[in-house]
């Protein structure tokens, strides 16, 4: 029998005003006392919740207002907190944030310390927005990052989100990012890292229905390694289940969630579905693993899911309880995971003992405008740049010996953002970075028109030709659309790895062999002609607010590029196995 009780007025006012101030309580119940052991606090909260509150707590923004437990959602943060960007994250309250190179670009630094620094910058900004009254307490402290999936195939449309193809390397980078997000306080996390997408998720076209098929050895030694390392070495306790199936069992209901992730690796926090995953389970045109929502809810709860990123779960859970397919104890066991995360974040505690609770609360200046955060973005971008070719030491360029430079190509005067990017407070394009670097001593000629670009190339001492993909597929960002076969994005795998802009490179090189090709791309590309003929090639990924500054630092010798690739770059599709061959042997 559940009973009612009185919550302190200060607690209720915080809840209903919607402010980010941490709830102050009267310690009427054990869970309100920060000195009480974590599991005792969790058990106490569960004992006080009604059945309706428990069912509602499986939502993507769980809370228990009656108990003074404010609702908290999740945020995206693969390479900076996403509270804006092409997909309009944080629709009610978009906010600019520090944006770093895409995840695979950060991996190309091969530097765990700068990865940790970038994640720590992001975590600070997550706290700042969640706890600053100016932003109304929107967002949350659970960050959907990093992506621990493996870049098994360069045709994968979401290659940009991962750290490459090697399991140990990926796990090392995942661990660094997790530590940066969560911090090093002995009791409290700065934010909670929620790894995506568990597991064997590296195809887009058929992701809602496909099965990734391989044996347990490959599960243990390849596909699960970055996740295991993120949990055991990094300290993450949360993850999102992937859409796909493993050996024809959907990952949302895979027994390995409980048998391995929970029981072996110690995951005891948030385990969520991806958006729409429940519908995939019963859709005849997708997985059709169950025939109705009740069966799907049972399968997901039994597997260990405790948050649903869609709105179809409640009816299924309620029906399962009514038909005795689930018990209230089943719900209790799962929902404790989210409560543990809330407590580790200090979400229910006074601000006095939590070093992260004051971030943003005093209304200090926006951190994304600070020189400190700008400097980290520039450093990460510098370290991410890969020198693919430098024949006869063509680079660095000596501006004292140049009178004119042509900065041309479709990527020369823009910084493109991807679907999981936020909006940076500023963007320094390659053109702007180069102009800033050479000052008024060198004439900078610019055009994106191909005919005009070739003319400028011929008339200039040196050419800097910026090419590469569009990370949202098409200029307007329409879902599941790309403009050329070599582009990919979420829901679309690449059909080619040949750079269509190589024809432009040939024309420019013919006009002026003193050409540097700057390949700004989310993926490996087959640039065979360019590699053979053009004297200098550098690679970096999209998104960084400091893209142009870091690039200019490298081109003109103020920074020595030491980035390294993290994926095989095939010369042609003929070198690749079938897209769905997950047996990497």
């Amino acid at each position: 029998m559940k009973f009612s009780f009185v919550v302190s007025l200060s607690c209720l006012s915080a809840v209903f005003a919607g402010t980010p101030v941490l709830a102050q309580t009267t310690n009427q119940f054990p869970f309100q006392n920060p000195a009480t052991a974590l599991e005792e606090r969790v058990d106490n909260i569960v004992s006080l919740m009604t059945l309706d509150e428990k069912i509602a707590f499986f939502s993507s923004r769980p809370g228990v207002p009656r108990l003074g437990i404010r609702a908290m959602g999740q945020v995206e943060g693969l390479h900076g907190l996403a509270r804006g960007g092409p997909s309009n994250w944080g629709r009610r309250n978009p906010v600019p944030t520090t944006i770093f190179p895409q995840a695979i670009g950060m991996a190309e630094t091969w530097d765990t310390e700068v990865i940790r620094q970038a994640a720590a910058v992001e975590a600070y900004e997550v706290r700042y927005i969640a706890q600053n009254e100016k932003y109304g307490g929107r967002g949350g402290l659970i960050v959907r990052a990093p992506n621990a999936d493996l870049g098994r195939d360069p045709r994968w449309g979401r290659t940009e989100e991962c750290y490459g193809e090697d399991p140990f390397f990926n796990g090392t980078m995942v661990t660094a990012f997790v530590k940066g997000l969560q911090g090093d306080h002995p009791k409290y996390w700065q934010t909670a890292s929620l790894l995506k997408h568990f597991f064997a998720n590296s195809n887009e076209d058929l992701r809602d229905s496909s099965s990734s098929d391989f044996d347990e050895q490959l599960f243990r030694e390849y596909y699960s390694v970055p996740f295991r390392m993120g949990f055991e070495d990094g300290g993450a306790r949360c993850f999102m289940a992937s859409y796909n199936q493993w050996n024809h069992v959907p990952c949302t209901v895979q027994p390995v969630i409980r048998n391995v992730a929970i029981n072996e690796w110690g995951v005891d926090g948030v385990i969520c579905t991806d958006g729409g995953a429940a519908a995939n389970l019963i859709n005849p045109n997708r997985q059709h693993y169950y025939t109705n929502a009740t069966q799907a809810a049972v399968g997901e709860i039994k597997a260990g899911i405790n948050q649903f990123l869609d709105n179809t779960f409640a009816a299924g859970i309620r029906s399962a309880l009514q038909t005795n397919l689930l018990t209230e104890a089943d719900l209790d066991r799962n929902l404790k995971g989210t409560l543990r995360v809330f407590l580790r974040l200090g979400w229910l505690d006074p601000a006095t003992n939590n070093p992260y609770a004051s971030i943003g609360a005093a209304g200090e200046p926006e951190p994304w405008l600070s020189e400190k955060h700008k400097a980290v973005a520039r450093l990460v971008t510098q370290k991410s740049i890969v020198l693919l070719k430098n024949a006869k030491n063509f680079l660095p360029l000596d501006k004292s010996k140049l009178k004119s430079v042509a900065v041309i190509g479709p990527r020369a005067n823009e910084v493109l953002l991807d679907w999981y990017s936020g909006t940076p407070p500023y963007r320094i394009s390659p053109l702007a970075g180069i102009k800033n670097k050479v000052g008024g001593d060198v004439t900078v000629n610019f055009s994106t028109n191909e005919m005009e670009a070739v003319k400028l190339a011929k008339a200039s001492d040196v050419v800097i030709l910026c090419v590469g993909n569009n990370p949202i597929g098409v200029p307007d960002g329409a879902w599941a659309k790309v403009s050329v076969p070599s582009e990919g994005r979420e829901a679309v795998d690449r059909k080619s790895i040949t750079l269509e802009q190589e024809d432009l490179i040939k024309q420019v090189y013919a006009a002026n062999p003193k050409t540097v090709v700057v390949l700004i791309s989310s993926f490996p590309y087959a640039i065979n002609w360019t590699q053979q003929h053009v004297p200098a090639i550098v690679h970096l990924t999209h998104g960084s607010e400091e893209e142009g500054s870091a690039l200019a630092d490298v081109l003109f010798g103020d920074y020595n590029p030491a980035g390294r690739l993290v994926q095989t770059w095939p010369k042609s599709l003929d070198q690749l196995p079938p897209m769905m061959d997950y047996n990497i042997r």
Side-chain angles (χ1 to χ4, degrees):
M1 183 72 176
K2 299 296 185 291
F3 52 90
S4 61
F5 51 90
V6 177
V7 183
S8 70
L9 291 176
S10 60
C11 174
L12 285 174
S13 64
V15 172
F16 292 111
T19 66
V21 180
L22 293 178
Q24 304 295 318
T25 69
T26 59
N27 288 343
Q28 181 178 1
F29 301 103
F31 86 86
Q32 296 170 322
N33 182 0
T36 302
L38 184 143
E39 289 302 319
E40 289 184 37
R41 299 179 75 186
V42 168
D43 289 342
N44 180 239
I45 295 170
V46 172
S47 73
L48 298 171
M49 293 172 68
T50 68
L51 182 58
D52 286 342
E53 287 170 337
K54 291 176 181 179
I55 294 172
F57 205 72
F58 283 83
S59 75
S60 61
R61 191 172 172 80
V64 191
R66 185 178 59 85
L67 300 182
I69 301 174
R70 294 173 295 125
M72 178 167 60
Q74 302 173 8
V75 294
E76 299 287 351
L78 292 177
H79 55 108
L81 171 61
R83 301 300 294 169
S87 56
N88 196 21
W89 300 108
R91 291 168 180 80
R92 297 184 186 179
N93 194 11
V95 185
T97 54
T98 302
I99 302 300
F100 301 95
Q102 292 173 300
I104 199 160
M106 289 201 291
E108 288 175 346
T109 68
W110 286 65
D111 191 323
T112 55
E113 175 55 25
V114 297
I115 295 298
R116 187 200 63 77
Q117 288 181 35
V121 163
E122 177 179 323
Y124 190 96
E125 294 183 4
V126 170
R127 276 276 180 178
Y128 181 92
I129 290 173
Q131 297 174 171
N132 191 318
E133 189 171 353
K134 175 180 177 180
Y135 302 109
R138 296 296 301 172
L141 301 181
I142 301 170
V143 184
R144 296 174 192 158
N147 188 327
D149 295 317
L150 286 154
R152 170 191 61 93
D153 192 303
R155 291 166 293 192
W156 180 32
R158 298 178 77 171
T159 295
E160 66 202 27
E161 298 182 27
C162 77
Y163 294 138
E165 68 188 19
D166 183 84
F168 178 76
F169 176 86
N170 275 34
T172 302
M173 292 295 168
V174 165
T175 296
F177 203 89
V178 169
K179 288 183 175 180
L181 284 179
Q182 298 195 164
D184 56 6
H185 191 270
K187 180 175 181 179
Y188 293 112
W189 290 343
Q190 184 162 9
T191 63
S193 171
L194 185 143
L195 276 55
K196 303 196 300 186
H197 311 82
F198 187 68
F199 63 101
N201 174 78
S202 53
N203 66 278
E204 293 301 300
D205 290 350
L206 302 172
R207 63 180 185 169
D208 295 339
S209 59
S210 63
S211 180
S212 305
D213 296 338
F214 50 87
D215 60 23
E216 186 170 355
Q217 182 182 7
L218 282 177
F219 168 77
R220 294 283 183 174
E221 296 181 2
Y222 188 70
Y223 290 105
S224 72
V225 170
F227 292 93
R228 176 183 57 78
M229 292 177 67
F231 300 136
E232 293 186 340
D233 301 339
R237 291 294 179 268
C238 308
F239 68 83
M240 176 187 291
S242 58
Y243 286 124
N244 58 283
Q245 303 173 73
W246 176 39
N247 296 342
H248 302 282
V249 178
C251 287
T252 311
V253 296
Q254 254 290 346
V256 295
I257 292 177
R258 192 171 299 283
N259 295 342
V260 179
I262 295 174
N263 293 342
E264 291 187 24
W265 300 336
V267 176
D268 63 356
V270 174
I271 302 174
C272 69
T273 68
D274 206 338
N280 290 345
L281 291 171
I282 60 177
N283 189 321
N285 297 318
R286 294 179 181 173
Q287 294 168 344
H288 203 209
Y289 196 74
Y290 300 110
T291 59
N292 57 60
T294 301
Q295 294 173 345
V298 172
E300 289 167 309
I301 297 295
K302 294 286 189 182
I305 297 295
N306 56 27
Q307 284 194 24
F308 292 81
L309 301 194
D310 52 55
N311 296 318
T312 63
F313 68 94
I317 292 176
R318 197 172 298 280
S319 174
L321 290 168
Q322 292 169 348
T323 54
N324 297 319
L325 296 174
L326 285 177
T327 67
E328 191 169 352
D330 292 324
L331 305 189
D332 293 349
R333 176 173 63 168
N334 286 23
L335 63 83
K336 288 180 180 181
T338 299
L339 290 171
R340 292 187 189 100
V341 172
F342 278 22
L343 291 170
R344 287 167 179 151
L345 290 166
W347 194 244
L348 310 186
D349 294 356
T352 50
N353 297 321
N354 182 349
Y356 307 121
S358 62
I359 298 172
E364 67 267 26
E366 287 85 351
W368 43 87
L369 298 179
S370 70
E371 294 305 313
K372 176 182 178 181
H373 287 200
K374 293 178 185 178
V376 176
R378 188 164 183 165
L379 177 64
V380 174
T381 312
Q382 289 171 333
K383 285 179 171 286
S384 75
I385 297 176
V386 181
L387 183 64
L388 294 179
K389 183 180 180 181
N390 193 25
K392 298 181 181 180
N393 295 318
F394 188 86
L395 293 175
L397 301 174
D398 186 347
K399 63 183 178 182
S400 69
K401 297 180 180 179
L402 297 175
K403 293 182 179 180
S404 60
V405 175
V407 181
I408 57 178
R411 304 283 91 93
N413 194 30
E414 59 189 7
V415 176
L416 294 179
L417 306 175
D418 59 51
W419 193 249
Y420 286 94
S421 174
T423 299
Y426 62 93
R427 307 185 209 188
I428 301 176
S429 70
L431 176 64
I434 292 165
K435 282 185 172 181
N436 293 339
K437 182 66 67 175
V438 301
D441 300 327
V442 179
T443 299
V444 178
N445 301 314
F446 163 72
S447 179
T448 56
N449 177 275
E450 288 194 15
M451 291 183 63
E452 180 67 20
V454 173
K455 291 179 182 179
L456 292 178
K458 191 171 185 177
S460 302
D461 293 341
V462 171
V463 180
I464 300 171
L465 176 55
C466 301
V467 295
N469 71 301
N470 183 334
I472 55 172
V474 290
D476 63 2
W479 181 251
K481 301 291 184 182
V482 295
S483 58
V484 294
S486 72
E487 289 178 349
R489 56 161 298 165
E490 184 170 4
V492 183
D493 288 315
R494 305 168 74 199
K495 305 304 182 291
S496 168
I497 59 171
T498 301
L499 182 68
E500 289 86 356
Q501 296 152 357
E502 204 164 35
D503 287 340
L504 173 62
I505 297 173
K506 292 176 182 179
Q507 295 177 54
V508 170
Y509 179 80
N512 189 342
K514 295 181 179 180
T515 294
V516 181
V517 168
V518 179
L519 177 58
I520 307 173
S521 72
S522 311
F523 317 102
Y525 271 96
I527 49 172
N528 303 325
W529 188 93
T530 302
Q531 184 178 5
Q532 183 178 354
H533 295 92
V534 175
I537 311 168
V538 297
H539 166 67
L540 66 161
T541 61
H542 294 286
S544 171
E545 60 193 41
E546 290 282 346
E547 180 181 297
S549 296
L551 174 63
D553 291 339
V554 165
L555 294 178
F556 290 92
D558 293 325
Y559 188 85
N560 189 19
R564 295 292 183 268
L565 300 179
V566 294
Q567 251 185 323
T568 303
W569 285 43
K571 290 186 175 182
S572 72
L573 288 179
D574 295 338
Q575 295 182 322
L576 295 173
M579 181 69 178
M580 290 305 300
D581 184 2
Y582 274 78
N583 185 348
I584 62 167
R585 297 187 187 90

